[in-house]
Amino acid sequence: MIAIVSTVERERAAFAALCASRGWLAAECDSVRALVRLLRRSAPKVALVRHKLRDGYSDNAIAALATAGALPATRIIVLIGAGTASSAEARQLALGADCVLRDPVRIDVLSEYLAKYCRPPRPSRADARKHVATTLSFAGASLHPAERLLRQGDQTASLTPREVELVELLAGSSDEVVTYETLYSEILGRRFRGDTSNMRVLLGKLGASSAVLGIAVRQWVEVIPKLGYRYRAASPGKLTAARTRQALRSAA
């Protein structure tokens, strides 16, 4: 899998189309934070990273890959602006990038780099997932990703792989909106084209699974129209009170 890390949607789409034309699976990440979420589930074979990102730089992306234990197995290609100083280019190589390409990016050259780096055998599933957190707090319960279990006290609920991925995305971005673009890219492996029905069904399924533990997921997860979902780590009571205060302020 190739992780495409760029803030510019059109650039991500172009590189994703290139990967699709060569039969390579690609995951789009619009920020360093999105890359970190991806790394909780698997280690990409190649990370194609734009130097300047909305929440940092490729330096931060390389550090995230190192922290996740993905290096040196994951190969890194950094894309930089045409006028970027050579010292910045050298810094990327010193940090761990395998190559640095300047704008305008020549697609034929990039394609060959990707082919070269995708050629070695994939790491084992155990190696790819060795960095996954043992547990993750969600809605007053604890998620155990490896076992696909949501546990509260002595009770457990079994989750599907996609339900686990949804919980990881939401809990990993507490109090922030996880966009539909990110949800569809990281969970379904495809671009979001405006139809939210698949994600509504998945959220409903997670709600039904969590209800076994007495958890009302929709009290913890807000659906932001046309944008995505936001998980609130605060208790439902505090969240309801906050919404009430907001409504009162809006009405004033």
Side-chain angles (χ1 to χ4, degrees), residues 135-171:
T135 61
L136 189 66
S137 178
F138 179 75
S142 59
L143 172 71
H144 299 257
E147 295 82 12
R148 299 207 303 270
L149 292 177
L150 190 63
R151 178 171 287 118
Q152 188 177 58
D154 296 331
Q155 293 183 304
T156 60
S158 297
L159 304 181
T160 65
R162 284 183 174 173
E163 286 177 274
V164 171
E165 291 176 359
L166 178 57
V167 171
E168 289 180 322
L169 278 172
L170 294 175

